[in-house]
Amino acid sequence: MSDNTLNLQNLGSASTLSRKLEDGISFVIFGASGDLTRRKLIPALYNLACGGLLPAKFSVFGFAVTPMDDDSFREQMRAGVQESKEAKPFDPKVWDAFAAGLHYVTADFVAPEGYQTLASRLEEAEKRAGRTGKRLFYLATPPSFMADIVARLGEHGLVTPTAAPGEGWSRVVLEKPFGRDLKSAIDLNASIHKVLQEDQIYRIDHYLGKETVQNILAFRFANSIIEPIWNRRYIDHVQITAGETLGVEHRGGYYEQAGCLRDMFQNHLLQLLATVAMDPPVRYGGSSVRDRKADVLHAIVPINPENLADIAVRGQYGPGHINGVDVPGYRQEDGVSPLSNTETFVALKLFVDNWRWADVPFYMRSGKRLPSKVTEINIQFKRVPHLFFQLGADDQMEANTLTIRIQPDEGIALRFCAKIPGPEMHLRQVQMNFSYTDSFQVEPSTAYETLLLDSMEGDPTLFNRADQVESAWTAIEPLIDIWSATGPFQPFPNYAAGTWGPSASDTLLARDGRAWKNSASTGVSSVVRVDSECPAIIAGGEAGKGA
Ligand code: BG6
């Protein structure tokens, strides 16, 4: 297989797909001296190189204000790959070939000189390779620079409108956060639309590149038993949790301005909600998937500021312990004000007002310094309408729950009631489990690998459109307004590091007679595994021993 043919051999027999990228792509990274480039982008490109997935004549041009030459940029990126837990094992041969295409331009984002230098370096490289420009500009910068950078790209002729097939093209990938509220997002969209057409703009949300998030569509729409029950008739409520054990690390400065609502909800959590709640698209690709997700975001019931306390909870962690280690509170972190009112935890109840979901609550929570790193979606089904078993105090009778484990231990589990083996009819909860690792025997590729490939290929399915981003800001705007207007006297910190957020988060569900589920914290006493190759149930755990 030639090195410009995308092969998905690492998925073994799971896929026969083979895609081809055009030769001679230039990948320009604005903010190349930053953390994202070193920790995520270059390791993802290196992984693609290891898999023979990069096109021939591929070059990377880093662009940032930190002074560096090509060699020191290569050195730093090499260290990044060697340190990265997500990068494939370091292979000097692959690295050397890849690193030969790494270049660096030291320049200010707003001054014209850097863009002139970049233009001539791109043209030189394109001339040498005898190719027309196929340019992907990746803006790994704070949102405040994005409009200026795109304007300069236009002024210097570095981007041109979408070309005919076979000709050169230019696309721009914009990292999150996209704006910092609805107005700034609308303004940013308006500015970049002066230079670029919408089909040249790739607004990235790395959650959409995760295998497990893409699998939500496969699970829902490629299995005939799922879709008929995926609605308000059978589903009682949905819970989405994205918990992290880490604090803000070295990102205190950024996080002070962002907070959990902007950092996780406006993008990742609302995208998970849209993926779980969307109607079936006409096809995979084009605008179809994005249209259906946009429908969901448009249908979110506006937050009513008058009953805010009943639907939203914010928190900030104080000192505590995680995995037996003492950790400081948020206000003690580097770059954080000792009086900070920034929220590090949010729990929210939203409704999606359409035929499928009317009156079904979507409870969502996310926070830093929680007891475990876990992202999962729990679909809680309704109880059976009538129970004729004579149950005793030891019997367990719960409504069915389907858990989609986005990370870690990627997979899907269904909890249901089963008869305990023995002469009498007693029930307990058991679990059927699908695990990616067991079924496919491969580590899923990282989200950035998928998304970088898609953007180079010109497939926008997993990227956000202007209207989606604006609807997501609209959904949380009332909270941003009210929370930022409340004075300096928040009762923060209101949860200890290593706990599941403030008690008000539990009250949010308890008020509705419900409780948060968390497979990572509650554990599962009995596991029944389903082999993906053969649908026969293989008994395991305590249930298996008894059978
Ligand atoms: C980023 C946020 O977008 O997502 C971070 O800025 C957060 O604060 C991260 O830690 C979580 O991503 P993941 O893939 O580790 O769940």
Side-chain angles (χ1 to χ4, degrees):
M1 192 163 276
S2 68
D3 65 355
N4 63 345
T5 301
L6 295 179
N7 66 70
L8 298 180
Q9 278 169 341
N10 57 344
L11 293 184
S13 58
S15 172
T16 53
L17 181 63
S18 175
R19 303 188 294 183
K20 235 184 172 194
L21 271 190
E22 297 165 284
D23 282 357
I25 294 176
S26 299
F27 191 105
V28 182
I29 306 174
F30 285 86
S33 57
D35 205 44
L36 186 82
T37 307
R38 179 181 169 127
R39 283 196 313 113
K40 298 283 181 187
L41 302 181
I42 296 292
L45 291 172
Y46 168 76
N47 283 358
L48 293 174
C50 289
L53 302 180
L54 287 181
K57 301 174 192 160
F58 177 77
S59 328
V60 175
F61 291 84
F63 188 112
V65 74
T66 310
M68 253 192 286
D69 58 16
D70 288 356
D71 283 338
S72 36
F73 182 53
R74 287 175 189 142
E75 265 322 293
Q76 289 220 2
M77 297 304 109
R78 176 192 172 106
V81 167
Q82 287 176 318
E83 284 157 13
S84 166
K85 291 196 184 84
E86 290 172 5
K88 295 201 191 299
F90 191 76
D91 178 338
K93 241 169 99 187
V94 176
W95 175 257
D96 288 348
F98 173 71
L102 292 183
H103 313 277
Y104 189 83
V105 176
T106 304
D108 188 287
F109 293 145
V110 286
E113 296 77 21
Y115 293 85
Q116 287 153 4
T117 312
L118 179 65
S120 56
R121 291 195 70 178
L122 283 173
E123 278 156 24
E124 263 167 45
E126 286 160 4
K127 214 158 143 193
R128 259 200 321 271
R131 66 198 191 209
T132 46
K134 293 173 191 107
R135 299 170 176 178
L136 190 83
F137 297 93
Y138 196 111
L139 273 50
T141 66
S144 51
F145 287 112
M146 289 179 178
D148 273 338
I149 294 174
V150 172
R152 300 284 182 283
L153 290 175
E155 282 161 19
H156 291 86
L158 284 153
V159 290
T160 45
T162 304
E167 290 180 20
W169 46 254
S170 33
R171 298 178 193 134
V172 176
V173 182
L174 300 153
E175 251 303 329
K176 69 159 275 265
F178 191 88
R180 55 171 286 105
D181 53 19
L182 177 60
K183 180 173 182 316
S184 57
I186 292 174
D187 291 349
L188 183 52
N189 275 329
S191 312
I192 60 181
H193 282 146
K194 286 186 193 148
V195 180
L196 301 164
Q197 293 169 17
E198 181 61 28
D199 64 3
Q200 294 177 281
I201 304 168
Y202 288 68
R203 297 173 192 79
I204 202 165
D205 179 327
H206 78 278
Y207 266 54
L208 295 181
K210 290 181 190 275
E211 289 285 357
T212 41
V213 175
Q214 295 178 65
N215 187 52
I216 296 172
L217 293 194
F219 182 67
R220 289 189 52 200
F221 301 123
N223 296 294
S224 62
I225 59 166
I226 303 300
E227 196 44 27
I229 56 169
W230 207 261
N231 56 51
R232 66 190 302 277
R233 230 192 258 182
Y234 299 97
I235 292 178
D236 177 75
H237 72 275
V238 176
Q239 298 184 9
I240 302 178
T241 294
E244 298 185 80
T245 49
L246 291 180
V248 287
E249 310 301 292
H250 49 280
R251 294 164 78 219
Y254 153 77
Y255 201 85
E256 276 284 86
Q257 300 304 314
C260 181
L261 193 61
R262 289 186 174 93
D263 188 48
M264 293 295 287
F265 272 73
Q266 188 276 337
N267 34 70
H268 309 324
L269 270 84
L270 286 178
Q271 286 303 318
L272 292 178
L273 182 150
T275 311
V276 167
M278 67 190 268
D279 274 352
V282 176
R283 64 180 64 82
Y284 187 80
S287 60
S288 204
V289 172
R290 302 202 290 175
D291 286 345
R292 296 292 74 82
K293 283 190 190 162
D295 289 345
V296 174
L297 295 170
H298 290 152
I300 291 176
V301 177
I303 289 172
N304 176 357
E306 276 165 23
N307 70 349
L308 208 60
D310 295 338
I311 58 145
V313 172
R314 60 177 152 161
Q316 187 193 80
Y317 62 85
H321 323 275
I322 296 194
N323 299 327
V325 177
D326 289 350
V327 294
Y330 177 69
R331 289 178 176 182
Q332 287 81 54
E333 304 271 15
D334 280 352
V336 172
S337 154
L339 297 174
S340 174
N341 275 340
T342 301
E343 79 286 352
T344 60
F345 177 96
V346 174
L348 196 56
K349 174 164 92 169
L350 290 179
F351 289 93
V352 174
D353 217 2
N354 62 18
W355 273 63
R356 189 188 281 266
W357 296 113
D359 301 327
V360 176
F362 286 78
Y363 299 99
M364 304 154 80
R365 65 178 167 168
S366 179
K368 301 270 184 204
R369 291 286 193 220
L370 301 188
S372 39
K373 167 81 180 162
V374 58
T375 304
E376 68 180 29
I377 300 168
N378 280 289
I379 312 289
Q380 174 71 61
F381 290 91
K382 293 191 168 165
R383 291 179 179 278
V384 293
H386 171 67
L387 204 62
F388 53 78
F389 303 102
Q390 313 289 313
L391 297 182
D394 291 342
D395 288 299
Q396 292 175 356
M397 176 58 215
E398 287 171 20
N400 301 128
T401 311
L402 185 90
T403 302
I404 301 174
R405 295 189 305 268
I406 304 296
Q407 60 190 20
D409 187 19
E410 290 78 2
I412 297 178
L414 177 68
R415 274 168 79 75
F416 59 96
C417 280
K419 178 183 176 300
I420 301 175
E424 293 180 333
M425 178 60 84
H426 289 294
L427 304 182
R428 64 178 280 185
Q429 295 291 305
V430 292
Q431 178 162 298
M432 278 199 297
N433 192 41
F434 151 66
S435 146
Y436 268 81
T437 326
D438 290 355
S439 297
F440 295 112
Q441 310 284 319
V442 287
E443 285 293 318
S445 55
T446 66
Y448 276 98
E449 283 167 61
T450 304
L451 295 172
L452 296 187
L453 265 186
D454 284 358
S455 57
M456 288 190 271
E457 212 190 9
D459 179 355
T461 310
L462 300 178
F463 293 82
N464 282 317
R465 247 178 6 207
D467 58 326
Q468 291 174 295
V469 170
E470 290 175 14
S471 303
W473 279 117
T474 304
I476 59 161
E477 190 76 0
L479 276 182
I480 294 184
D481 290 347
I482 293 167
W483 285 355
S484 54
T486 328
F489 303 114
Q490 278 311 305
F492 283 165
N494 60 355
Y495 71 97
T499 65
W500 283 103
S503 58
S505 160
D506 295 327
T507 313
L508 183 74
L509 273 73
R511 217 181 279 126
D512 298 343
R514 299 178 175 118
W516 289 110
K517 294 175 186 307
N518 188 352
S519 59
S521 66
T522 58
V524 174
S525 59
S526 156
V527 174
V528 179
R529 289 197 168 270
V530 175
D531 184 324
S532 67
E533 300 300 319
C534 157
I537 292 176
I538 301 164
E542 287 171 40
K545 281 180 218 149

